[in-house]
Amino acid sequence: MASWIVFTRNDPGSADDAADRVVFVRDRFSWLALIFTPIVLLWHGLWLAFILFMALAAGLQALVFIAGIPPMVPPIILAGASLLVALDLAGLRARKLVRQGYDEETVISAPSLVEAEQRFFDRWSGPSAPAQPVTPPPAPSGRPPGLIEGPPSWRAVQGQAKGPIIGSLDTGNTGA
């Protein structure tokens, strides 16, 4: 079963537009990234990673000519860099989406992209609205505004005693 990281973007627009802004990223090892690292990086628009990979390759080739390191060292180091990209391609794509303003919504386990999309959209309620300040609900009409909730034996309006007060603060109020 594959894992899919779901990213959404809350931009103004209709619900159909919001559904088009949902991105599914499969979290797995990428064999293509292992073999064709620069092409895969360009395909996904990971420009910084592509530039760093190419700078590493050029630097290693320069070391072969300048420092006289054995010619088999650069391919071994580049194979290690390709392995790292293949292992973390989903993470690189996720960081790119977050920088572009997407939010990580959830992780879905499904055997295919179609099933992952169906599972996500079955329970997705659309883009979340911006947070509104919480205001207390208005008091229902028909009750005095200061009514204390509880059993009928001690229900009373605030500020009015139901019977004589016991203790040293007895004010003689016999209630309403």
Side-chain angles (χ1 to χ4, degrees), residues 95-130:
R95 286 188 286 281
K96 175 190 167 199
L97 289 169
V98 168
R99 279 193 314 271
Q100 291 177 341
Y102 284 83
D103 298 320
E104 185 175 336
E105 189 78 24
T106 187
V107 176
I108 303 283
S109 291
S112 68
L113 175 61
V114 173
E115 286 191 36
E117 288 174 343
Q118 180 153 5
R119 288 180 186 180
F120 175 72
F121 286 115
D122 282 347
R123 63 180 180 183
W124 190 51
S125 60
S128 59

Side-chain angles (χ1 to χ4, degrees), residues 33-59:
L34 180 65
I35 299 167
F36 304 110
T37 305
I39 296 169
V40 169
L41 291 174
L42 286 176
W43 178 263
H44 291 293
L46 300 168
W47 300 104
L48 182 59
F50 172 76
I51 291 169
L52 290 173
F53 186 83
M54 295 311 288
L56 176 66

